[in-house]
Amino acid sequence: MVYTILVIALLVAMFILFFSSFQKRKNKLLLEKIRREREFEEEIVKTKTEIQEQTLKNVGLELHDNIGQLLSVTNMQLSLISSLAQDSIKDKVEDTKAIISDVIKEVRGLSKVLNSEVVLNFGFQESLRTEIERLNKMNTIKAELLSSGDKNSFKNNKDAIILFRILQEFISNAVKYSKATQLTVTLNYEKDNLQIIAEDNGVGFNVENVKKGSGLINMKSRAKLTNTEFNLISTPNQGTKLLLNYPIALRAISQTT
């Protein structure tokens, strides 16, 4: 009887060890699968982001080098026409010249914020300020940029481009869909983090009903690339608020290792 009990106990112990080993291996494989899927998804987002940046850069260069040049030539031709025109139409020609001059400024401003290299050279905050100024010139919405803390704590790097594009997407949606009259972007530079708050007073929407392929949802994927905490808050008829918490210190360490 004792021998039988010992054999059974040994078999049970072996079964437990085997089962435990099997579960550990299974969990390890599952975690590895999840890690690979996450890396694959991040790589897709990175590739998509790089393609988008290259496309935006090409569009920006096209606007600056070709469209801007054509508009400048057109303005020169109008100057010639104005010098030869009768007084009765000279004022109209001058008005047209003024409009084209405004268009040239708008095209040049747009080309700057589309080109990631220009954004890097200008810096994150100055590029955002340029975007806000361009928005105010359109006279469709009153925009404001507020800032506190040391902006130099956030160095110009690829993360700056990603955060800038997220805010561009938010601003674009506010202009196109929100029917907002005011938009505010606040930058709070802290020792280890950069807190960003972007909000409008528009019609808002139900976040749960947003389609996965929309630009608002894609912003969240971009934020993950920089380990940025992302929170989008919106309620119908109560405006929309975007909260970003970018880990300056953590990202500085990861980029040097």
Side-chain angles (χ1 to χ4, degrees), residues 46-75:
K46 285 181 181 179
T47 302
K48 183 179 178 181
T49 300
E50 289 173 359
I51 292 173
Q52 289 175 340
E53 285 301 323
Q54 187 59 46
T55 301
L56 289 173
K57 179 181 178 180
N58 292 339
V59 172
L61 291 173
E62 184 73 17
L63 285 172
H64 184 273
D65 296 340
N66 294 333
I67 307 300
Q69 186 66 25
L70 288 172
L71 288 170
S72 296
V73 171
T74 302
N75 223 15

Side-chain angles (χ1 to χ4, degrees), residues 153 191-193 246-254:
S153 62
K191 181 180 178 181
D192 297 327
N193 300 285
Y246 171 79
I248 294 177
L250 179 63
R251 293 296 293 175
I253 294 172
S254 66

Side-chain angles (χ1 to χ4, degrees), residues 156-196:
N156 299 337
N157 50 32
K158 292 182 179 180
D159 287 0
I161 296 293
I162 293 175
L163 292 180
F164 180 72
R165 296 300 182 214
I166 292 173
L167 291 170
Q168 263 191 326
E169 183 70 37
F170 181 88
I171 292 171
S172 176
N173 279 279
V175 173
K176 290 179 181 178
Y177 309 117
S178 75
K179 299 181 182 179
T181 57
Q182 292 183 326
L183 183 145
T184 303
V185 179
T186 304
L187 308 177
N188 295 321
Y189 296 92
E190 299 178 349
K191 181 180 178 181
D192 297 327
N193 300 285
L194 166 59
Q195 294 182 338
I196 303 173

